Each structure stands twice: as C-alpha cells, then as structure tokens.
Amino acid sequence: MATRHQITNNGSPFLPVSSQTTTYNSAALGADADKMDVYVQFFDASGAVVTPTAGTVNVYGSPFQGQYLLADNSPITASQVNAGIAGYTPATIYGLCDSVQVVFSGIAGATSAKAIIYKRS
C-alpha cells in the first residue's frame, strides 16, 4: 500500500519555478519504506496545467540530514512532463530515505509546479 505526500511551499502545494534554480524539500517522511516514486506537474499563472518548453527537475532522497542521493530516472526533462499524457518516467528512490528534495532548473513555459511522493514498501 502506498502513502501520498506532497511537497509544499509555506503550506501551498504550488511550488514557484522559473529560469533560476529553486529547491524544495519534503517534510520528514519517516524511513519506513524502501521505495518512493516522485511525480511532477507544471502550471501557468492562472493555475492551468501546462507543458514546459525547457528545464530539468532533479530529485534526491535524503537518508541523513544534509546528505542527498540522486534518484533513479533523475533528472526529469521538464518538456516531457506534458499536460495530458506525460512522456516522462517518474523519479524513483530505492532504499530508506527520510525526506525528498526536488530542484527545478531553467524552467520555461511554467510558473509553478507540484511534486507528489508515493511512498511504498
């Protein structure tokens, strides 16, 4: 059975993105699962789902405070996170990790994103 966790920005599920690099961290998830899948979705200023034209999303798992390991299938090419039928493979973290970090770099064609974690054992 999977549990769903959302990375938030000051309580909002919308994570501002731009051509600059922005980093967001999940709350502590507890190290009780050995696999996590991380999905992303992009939005325009009005909240409509969009497909970015450029950029990447790096996903990391953190087994210890201050240490991050790159997830499998990371980085994600933002232009493959299509509105409708997406063409990317979600990032997957294998092993016990307490939190997840997402780093958006060079995003064009979107103003915000959502990042959802499905934690399963």
Side-chain angles (χ1 to χ4, degrees):
M1 175 183 238
T3 57
R4 184 177 189 259
H5 303 270
Q6 186 154 14
I7 296 177
T8 61
N9 179 45
N10 296 320
S12 172
F14 291 96
L15 310 173
V17 297
S18 68
S19 60
Q20 303 300 312
T21 299
T22 51
T23 301
Y24 299 97
N25 294 298
S26 73
L29 301 170
D32 58 349
D34 60 2
K35 186 175 184 182
M36 296 182 204
D37 298 314
V38 181
Y39 295 84
V40 294
Q41 187 176 36
F42 290 94
F43 302 87
D44 66 13
S46 66
V49 177
V50 296
T51 302
T53 56
T56 59
V57 182
N58 279 283
V59 178
Y60 302 91
S62 177
F64 305 105
Q65 183 177 3
Q67 183 184 67
Y68 297 92
L69 301 169
L70 187 65
D72 285 4
N73 304 315
S74 180
I76 297 167
T77 302
S79 62
Q80 293 180 337
V81 183
N82 305 36
I85 299 174
Y88 76 102
T89 301
T92 302
I93 299 164
Y94 294 99
L96 300 175
C97 285
D98 183 57
S99 65
V100 172
Q101 181 179 80
V102 292
V103 180
F104 297 93
S105 299
I107 304 297
T111 59
S112 65
K114 287 184 178 180
I116 303 293
I117 304 158
Y118 285 95
K119 185 173 101 168
R120 51 196 171 119
S121 54

